[in-house]
Amino acid sequence: GNLSNRFDDLGYRIIGVDQSRAMLEVAKAKNPKLKVRLGEFLKLPFENNSFHGIVSTYAFHHLNDQEKQLALEEMFRVLVPDGVIVIGDLMFEDEMAKRSIYQDLTETERLVVEDEYYTLIDVLANWVKKYDKQVNKKQIDRFCWITTIK
C-alpha cells in the first residue's frame, strides 16, 4: 500500500498481491482505490502475460534460494515478454561483499541477518540469464538495493 499511491499518482494501474488478508486490508486503508488479490510469489493468481511490470519491496528475502527461483519463474510467467521486474530489498552484491559487511556487524546484528535469506545480486543475475534477462542494480544504502530485471 505504501508505494501504490505513488504509482497511482503517475497513472499506473496497480494490483496489490499479498498472502495475508490483513495486509491487503491495510493496503486498501492506505489506498482505497487499490485493487488487491490474495496470492503469493509461488502461485500468482493471474493469467500468463498479464503485466508490463512487477514490483516487489522488502518481501523477497523471506524466500530461500529455491523459492526465489520458483518465484522468478512465476513472475516471468505473468509478465509480458518485454516487461520489467523491480525488486527492492535487503541484499548483498556478492559473497565477498557479504563477508566484508558481516565483519563489521555485532553478533546480535549477524543473528538478525542470518535469520532471513538475503539475495546475492550476482546469483540473481545468473538465475535470470535463462530468461535472456539482465539485472541492473542500484545501491540505496549498506544493505538496501533496487534491482531491475529486463
Side-chain angles (χ1 to χ4, degrees), residues 35-53:
K35 293 181 183 179
V36 297
R37 294 282 296 271
L38 194 62
E40 60 178 79
F41 275 124
L42 305 180
K43 188 167 170 65
L44 294 169
F46 303 104
E47 298 292 322
N48 295 353
N49 304 309
S50 296
F51 296 94
H52 292 275

Side-chain angles (χ1 to χ4, degrees), residues 1-20:
N2 291 331
L3 290 176
S4 67
N5 286 322
R6 290 184 182 193
F7 284 110
D8 201 36
D9 290 345
L10 294 171
Y12 292 99
R13 291 182 306 163
I14 305 297
I15 301 174
V17 178
D18 201 292
Q19 64 185 7
S20 163

Side-chain angles (χ1 to χ4, degrees), residues 20-42:
S20 163
R21 288 186 193 280
M23 289 308 295
L24 292 175
E25 290 173 12
V26 170
K28 286 289 283 183
K30 291 180 179 185
N31 182 351
K33 296 185 294 182
L34 180 64
K35 293 181 183 179
V36 297
R37 294 282 296 271
L38 194 62
E40 60 178 79
F41 275 124
L42 305 180

Side-chain angles (χ1 to χ4, degrees), residues 65-110:
D65 281 356
Q66 181 182 3
E67 292 168 329
K68 285 178 184 166
Q69 291 176 70
L70 293 171
L72 286 167
E73 182 177 317
E74 187 67 356
M75 285 189 261
F76 281 118
R77 180 188 67 78
V78 301
L79 197 66
V80 298
D82 62 341
V84 176
I85 298 171
V86 177
I87 301 172
D89 210 329
L90 306 174
M91 303 181 192
F92 298 103
E93 192 165 18
D94 54 29
E95 188 62 43
M96 189 165 45
K98 180 180 176 180
R99 280 194 300 260
S100 175
I101 290 171
Y102 266 52
Q103 289 177 0
D104 296 337
L105 299 177
T106 67
E107 183 63 28
T108 301
E109 290 169 330
R110 268 191 225 104

